[in-house]
Amino acid sequence: MTPPDAPRNRWSDLDRPPLNAAALRRGLIRPGGLWSSLDVVETTGSTNSDLAARAAAGGAEGAVLVAEEQTAGRGRLDRSWTAPPRSGLFFSVHLTPGGVPVERWGWLPLLAGVATATGLAQSAGVDMALKWPNDLLVTVHGSERKTGGILAERAGDGVVLGIGLNVSLRAAELPAPHAGSLALAGAVSTDRETLLRAVLRSLEQWYTRWRDAGGDAAESGLQAAYAAGCATLDRPVRAELPGDRSVTGEAVAIDGDGRLVLATGDGLQEPVSAGDIVHLRGVDGGLT
C-alpha cells in the first residue's frame, strides 16, 4: 500500500492508468487527416490557454493537447473545471476553418457537442444528450447530470475548442450535485484512450463535413443532428442573458445561426445567441 504522504506518480491510481501518447498518435495522425500533432502533458493550468498561445504563434491546424490533470480548467462564464488526475478527458484542438465565413464559426461548439456525443455513444455505450449551447448530459439514477462541457475561443486565425469530460469520477468525487460521469451512467468502457480516439475521429468527420459545406449547418446535416440530440428543445427553460435580463419560454428550435429560439408567453419567438440556460420542470420555475 502506498503511504498517504508518498508523492504521486503516473501509476499511483491503478484504476486510472496514464494515457499512451505514442499509441494515440499512431491511431489518429495519418497523411491527409485533420490531426497534425498530439501531445499529452501530466498537468497544466488550461489546455485551451496553452494551445491558444501556440495558435497565436503560428501553430498548425489539427494540433491536439491533452492533460492528465488541469489545475485551472475553464468553462463558460469563467467557471472553473476541476477533477482528480486521470479521471477524465481534458483536451483542446486547434481548428482553422478556411473557406467558412466567420459568422458561421459559432457552430463549432455545437459541432463539438454532436461529435463528442456520437463518439461516446459508439465507444462507451452511453446515451448522451446536449444542453444548449455546450453542456453534455448523461442520466444517473434517473436524473440528468452534466458530465462534460465545451469551450470555444478565438486564437490566431482560427479557434481553439476545449472539451472536458468526467469519465471515471466516483460519486464521492463529484464537484456538485448536478454533476455526473460516464462510469456512474453505466458506461461499458471507461478506457480513456478508446474514448479519446472515438471522439477525435468523430470530430474530424463532422468538422470535415461542415467545412466542406462552407459552414452551412443545414447542408452538412449538423443542424438536424444537433436538434435531434438536444435535451433543451421542447421543454420550458429560463435564459439568463447578458445585462441581468432573463427570458422564460419553451425552447422550440435551433435556428440556422445556432441560436436557441424561445416561444415566450406573449406569443413571440425570441432567438438567444448567448446566455445561461436553466431547464425547468414547468412554467412555475421548478428546476430539473
Side-chain angles (χ1 to χ4, degrees):
M1 179 179 293
T2 304
D5 57 348
R8 195 182 76 233
N9 60 55
R10 297 176 74 242
W11 296 98
S12 57
D13 188 339
L14 295 181
D15 290 331
R16 293 169 173 164
L19 294 168
N20 184 327
L24 288 167
R25 292 187 194 105
R26 287 194 299 271
L28 291 164
I29 299 175
R30 55 185 175 78
L34 174 62
W35 308 122
S36 56
S37 65
L38 188 149
D39 296 304
V40 177
V41 297
E42 185 67 22
T43 185
T44 190
S46 162
T47 57
N48 253 37
S49 296
D50 293 350
L51 200 55
R54 290 193 204 175
E61 181 179 41
V64 181
L65 179 62
V66 190
E68 298 282 30
E69 179 184 22
Q70 282 193 129
T71 58
R74 293 173 290 122
R76 289 180 62 251
L77 308 177
D78 292 325
R79 291 170 177 150
S80 62
W81 180 284
T82 59
R86 304 190 302 277
S87 65
L89 288 173
F90 321 112
F91 64 99
S92 298
V93 301
H94 177 211
L95 302 174
T96 56
V100 175
V102 173
E103 58 267 24
R104 291 178 171 175
W105 290 14
W107 273 100
L108 282 170
L110 281 70
L111 183 154
V114 169
T116 301
T118 302
L120 291 177
Q122 295 169 347
S123 58
V126 170
D127 288 332
M128 184 165 287
L130 305 169
K131 179 186 175 188
W132 189 91
N134 67 344
D135 286 349
L136 298 154
L137 307 177
V138 294
T139 300
V140 179
H141 302 311
S143 65
E144 289 180 341
R145 303 283 188 90
K146 178 178 175 179
T147 194
I150 297 161
L151 179 66
E153 299 180 288
R154 286 292 301 269
D157 295 328
V159 172
V160 169
L161 279 174
I163 299 175
L165 289 166
N166 294 336
V167 175
S168 65
L169 264 75
R170 304 152 186 136
E173 296 172 322
L174 295 175
H178 61 273
S181 70
L182 297 181
L184 293 174
V188 297
S189 173
T190 56
D191 180 89
R192 293 184 303 141
E193 290 182 21
T194 299
L195 303 180
L196 182 58
R197 284 194 298 268
V199 170
L200 288 174
R201 286 169 180 159
S202 179
L203 182 55
E204 178 176 7
Q205 292 168 358
W206 274 106
Y207 175 69
T208 301
R209 186 184 308 175
W210 172 81
R211 185 191 58 195
D212 290 349
D216 188 316
E219 181 181 336
S220 63
L222 176 59
Q223 185 177 3
Y226 190 89
C230 183
T232 303
L233 291 179
D234 302 320
R235 68 194 298 171
V237 303
R238 183 174 67 251
E240 298 174 349
L241 307 176
D244 293 326
R245 189 170 74 92
S246 67
V247 177
T248 299
E250 183 181 355
V252 295
I254 304 293
D255 72 9
D257 295 319
R259 299 177 300 180
L260 181 68
V261 180
L262 301 185
T264 62
D266 53 13
L268 299 177
Q269 291 197 347
E270 181 165 348
V272 175
S273 59
D276 208 21
I277 301 299
V278 180
H279 289 177
L280 308 176
R281 287 201 186 98
V283 293
D284 61 349
L287 300 182
T288 56

